[in-house]
């Protein structure tokens, strides 16, 4: 039973129901229209029959002039009624007051009284024009089609002649018509019953496919799609929209998968970086505990090493906090910063010359950006410290300038540069260049990632270029203050 509750069957039943009602209504309308046409043609035939009979009767009674009263009597006589009746046609003659004068029943039962209408019908026919036809009931309950003709002597109406035939004669013709309509309708219905489930089922097949595909999507198979029917109807559009939705879901899950993957990497890398100093501290503690007597020098050396490791851990944790703060997407609190003054001051504070760098400056005055000074200082510091680490003793040329409607802070060093393999990755979190990896003094690989996250939080970009052996150039581009 549940099967018949499906859309396919509901549409089929609806369609068949509608078709049956339409066929029935069409047949009924057609039957009544045909009946009306038959009534009218039979009525016309009766009228012509009357006209012919009247002419014949006039000829029969002769052309000699007669007084009006005699003529009237002849026109209302049983002789005239007999002349008019023939075959199925019965005749009845009424006087000018609508009273029956005489009748002739040539039809099936000659003794039966003729079918009559209401007296008013006869009076109305005399007063105005008779209607095209009337339906009269006979005493046996049968219906008769009747036409009325007013009889005049001179111009004076003297009575009404009624010619009638039983409608049963007409109904016989209609019966065949009715049977044909019923058989035709049944054939049409049968064909519809056989074909409509197939046609509707075919039209709805994409919907069934969509439902099974939706099931597959829900089960996690995001690559499933439905085949789009060629017709661009509602179902075709639905299939297109369905596939777009499936692609959207697939994409969203792909993005989630990627970000989860990145997060896993990040956590693994961070844990790995933290484990090194922790293992080291645990090692020193272990050594100290195992010794019964610790000489003050060893103790001092161990404590200093542990302090160094803990400082490294603190730096790492601070770097991680900075990174998450700027990557969270929260806008930094900004204020106008005049770059030449700002970078000049930051470089003074870093006193790079004291740390062995050959520092030079070319700071274009008045280039202003809107930035968080604390964060911007970190960018300058990270770049400077990298140059100190990876290009020790080399020249560091700092410049501030304005180009293409943007502000730039640039550092060019004359160090060893960055290898081609490293260059595309140096801004990644925890990425350390080949040389930096085996170097104990190397950082954690977060310095440039932090600089990038800060610059991007200010709607800027940061880039690096380098020819190995020719030094490296880092440029931070920032939007100018309006
Ligand atoms: P780290 O904390 O290791 O310094 P960074 O993210 O600051 O990490 O830098 C990533 C890598 O980029 C470094 O390991 C190094 O190989 C390379 N690098 C950065 N700055 C320079 C530079 N001025 N010259 C050469 N290599 C550099």
């Amino acid at each position: 039973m549940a099967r018949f509750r499906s859309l396919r069957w509901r549409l089929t039943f609806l369609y068949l129901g509608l078709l049956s009602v339409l066929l029935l209504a069409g047949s009924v309308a057609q039957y009544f229209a045909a009946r009306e046409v038959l009534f009218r043609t039979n009525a016309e035939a009766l009228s012509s029959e009357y006209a012919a009979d009247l002419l014949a009767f006039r000829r029969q009674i002769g052309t000699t002039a007669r007084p009006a009263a005699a003529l009237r009597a002849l026109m209302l006589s049983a002789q005239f009624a007999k002349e008019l009746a023939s075959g199925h046609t019965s005749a009845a003659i009424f006087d000018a007051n609508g009273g029956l004068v005489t009748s002739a029943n040539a039809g099936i039962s000659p003794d039966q009284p003729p079918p009559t209408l209401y007296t008013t019908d006869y009076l109305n026919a005399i007063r105005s024009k008779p209607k095209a036809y009337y339906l009269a009931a006979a005493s046996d309950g049968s219906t008769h089609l009747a036409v009325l003709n007013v009889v005049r002597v001179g111009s004076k109406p003297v009575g009404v002649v009624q010619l009638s035939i039983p409608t049963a004669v007409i109904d016989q013709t209609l019966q065949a018509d009715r049977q044909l309509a019923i058989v035709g309708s049944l054939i049409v219905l049968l064909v519809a019953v056989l074909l409509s489930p197939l046609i509707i089922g075919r039209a709805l097949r994409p919907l069934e496919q969509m439902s099974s595909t939706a099931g597959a999507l829900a089960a996690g198979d995001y690559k499933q799609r439905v085949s789009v029917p060629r017709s661009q109807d509602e179902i075709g559009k639905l299939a297109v929209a369905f596939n777009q939705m499936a692609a959207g879901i697939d994409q969203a899950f792909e993005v989630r998968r990627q970000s989860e993957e990145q997060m896993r990497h990040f956590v693994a890398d961070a844990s790995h970086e933290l484990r090194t100093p922790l293992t080291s501290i645990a090692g020193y503690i272990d050594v100290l505990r195992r010794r019964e007597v610790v000489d003050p020098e060893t103790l001092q050396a161990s404590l200093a090493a542990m302090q160094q490791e803990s400082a490294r851990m603190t730096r790492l944790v601070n770097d991680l906090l900075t990174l998450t703060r700027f990557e969270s997407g929260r806008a930094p609190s900004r204020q106008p910063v005049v770059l030449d003054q700002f970078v000049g001051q930051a470089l003074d504070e870093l006193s790079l010359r004291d740390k062995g760098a050959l520092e030079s400056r070319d700071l274009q005055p008045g280039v202003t950006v809107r930035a968080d000074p604390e964060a911007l200082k970190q960018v300058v510091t990270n770049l400077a410290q990298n140059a100190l680490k990876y290009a020790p003793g080399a020249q560091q040329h700092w410049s501030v300038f304005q180009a293409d409607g943007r502000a730039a802070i640039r550092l060019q060093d004359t160090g060893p540069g960055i290898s081609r393999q490293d260059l595309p990755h140096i801004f990644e979190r925890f990425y350390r260049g080949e040389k930096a990896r085996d170097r104990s003094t190397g950082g954690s690989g977060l310095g440039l990632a932090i600089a990038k996250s800060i610059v991007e939080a200010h709607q800027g970009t940061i880039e690096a270029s380098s020819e190995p052996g020719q030094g490296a150039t880092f440029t931070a581009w920032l939007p100018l203050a309006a």
Side-chain angles (χ1 to χ4, degrees):
M1 241 7 241
R3 168 193 159 119
F4 291 110
R5 251 177 260 142
S6 71
L7 183 61
R8 176 184 169 177
W9 285 106
R10 283 205 334 253
L11 280 179
T12 305
F13 289 138
L14 196 73
Y15 168 68
L16 289 178
L18 193 67
L19 186 68
S20 312
V21 169
L22 286 179
L23 281 174
L24 189 71
S27 305
V28 169
Q30 197 257 352
Y31 171 78
F32 279 105
R35 192 165 178 254
E36 175 69 17
V37 169
L38 277 180
F39 279 176
R40 277 179 188 272
T41 39
N42 275 286
E44 273 162 29
L46 281 178
S47 294
S48 333
E49 206 178 305
Y50 172 75
D53 287 349
L54 179 67
L55 212 66
F57 185 66
R58 290 244 158 146
R59 213 171 288 138
Q60 210 180 335
I61 57 177
T63 46
T64 32
R66 285 203 181 86
L71 252 179
R72 178 185 174 275
L74 271 172
M75 294 308 289
L76 302 186
S77 67
Q79 188 193 351
F80 185 38
K82 253 188 223 112
E83 186 68 32
L84 290 167
S86 69
H88 294 296
T89 316
S90 355
I93 303 178
F94 300 84
D95 60 24
N97 296 320
L100 178 67
V101 182
T102 177
S103 70
N105 229 349
I108 322 117
S109 42
D111 315 326
Q112 214 182 292
T116 47
L117 301 167
Y118 293 112
T119 314
T120 46
D121 285 329
Y122 301 114
L123 296 179
N124 282 342
I126 292 169
R127 221 170 294 137
S128 45
K129 241 172 77 119
K131 289 199 271 179
Y133 66 84
Y134 297 82
L135 289 177
S139 56
D140 64 353
S142 61
T143 310
H144 295 247
L145 176 81
V147 292
L148 300 183
N149 295 284
V150 180
V151 187
R152 293 171 202 278
V153 169
S155 61
K156 196 169 174 270
V158 293
V160 181
V161 171
Q162 172 189 291
L163 294 185
S164 64
I165 49 167
T167 52
V169 180
I170 300 168
D171 282 337
Q172 256 164 25
T173 321
L174 279 175
Q175 178 105 18
D177 208 52
R178 204 161 45 209
Q179 273 164 2
L180 202 72
I182 290 171
V183 172
S185 301
L186 284 179
I187 290 172
V188 168
L189 258 181
L190 189 71
V191 172
V193 165
L194 292 178
L195 290 186
S196 53
L198 297 180
I199 294 169
I200 292 174
R202 201 184 146 89
L204 294 181
R205 201 169 304 147
L207 285 184
E208 273 169 32
Q209 209 198 344
M210 264 178 246
S211 118
S212 65
T213 307
L217 280 174
D221 184 359
Y222 306 117
K223 295 281 173 245
Q224 286 278 334
R225 301 287 181 275
V226 294
S227 48
V228 178
R230 250 172 295 148
S231 60
Q232 272 308 299
D233 56 7
E234 287 83 348
I235 291 183
K237 284 184 196 150
L238 183 63
V240 171
F242 184 92
N243 280 347
Q244 281 169 348
M245 182 196 71
I249 292 175
D250 188 22
Q251 213 173 7
F253 272 92
E254 187 56 38
V255 168
R256 208 178 95 173
R257 261 197 300 276
Q258 277 174 7
S259 80
E260 277 174 357
E261 187 68 26
Q262 278 175 359
M263 181 53 86
R264 258 197 301 280
H265 270 150
F266 182 66
V267 170
D269 290 342
S271 317
H272 180 76
E273 289 297 325
L274 284 168
R275 202 170 50 190
T276 316
L278 280 174
T279 315
S280 176
I281 291 171
Y284 285 115
I285 293 172
D286 202 35
V287 168
L288 290 178
R289 281 185 59 188
R290 258 192 255 168
R291 293 198 185 174
E292 275 171 21
V293 190
V294 183
D295 62 284
E297 273 149 57
T298 313
L299 183 65
Q300 274 309 315
S302 303
L303 286 176
M306 282 196 270
Q307 196 172 26
Q308 212 179 343
E309 292 300 338
S310 90
R312 189 171 151 192
M313 257 168 58
T314 309
R315 254 195 331 269
L316 185 66
V317 170
N318 283 339
D319 279 353
L320 286 173
L321 285 174
T322 312
L323 197 61
T324 36
R325 180 153 69 96
F326 285 102
E327 283 195 346
S328 68
R330 240 182 303 138
S333 60
R334 302 189 196 187
Q335 63 189 70
V337 175
V338 185
L339 283 184
D340 57 318
Q341 293 166 13
F342 180 80
V343 173
Q345 201 181 335
L347 293 177
D348 288 347
E349 280 172 27
L350 283 166
S351 47
L352 298 171
R353 282 182 180 276
D354 297 347
K355 292 169 185 158
L358 298 170
E359 191 233 290
S360 59
R361 302 175 190 183
D362 177 11
L363 311 177
Q364 185 184 322
V367 181
T368 310
V369 295
R370 283 183 59 78
D372 172 353
E374 195 75 18
L376 203 56
K377 196 164 156 192
Q378 173 123 44
V379 175
V380 173
T381 308
N382 286 7
L383 292 180
Q385 273 170 355
N386 274 355
L388 286 175
K389 264 192 286 182
Y390 304 112
Q395 204 179 328
Q396 279 191 30
H397 182 68
W398 288 86
S399 49
V400 162
F401 59 96
Q402 185 177 326
D404 304 329
R406 291 181 300 172
I409 304 171
R410 178 172 284 168
L411 163 62
Q412 285 166 284
D413 69 45
T414 52
I418 305 161
S419 75
R420 275 192 222 290
Q421 302 98 282
D422 289 340
L423 195 58
H425 304 289
I426 53 171
F427 290 103
E428 288 171 14
R429 295 181 290 212
F430 295 110
Y431 187 83
R432 270 179 288 195
E434 218 177 326
K435 287 188 202 128
R437 244 170 271 160
D438 39 45
R439 200 210 265 254
S440 56
T441 49
S444 53
L446 288 175
L448 288 180
I450 289 173
K452 183 175 182 239
S453 71
I454 291 173
V455 172
E456 285 181 353
H458 286 80
Q459 278 79 49
T461 53
I462 189 164
E463 62 196 26
S465 64
S466 175
E467 281 298 321
Q470 309 269 319
T473 304
F474 291 88
T475 314
W477 296 97
L478 292 167
L480 286 165

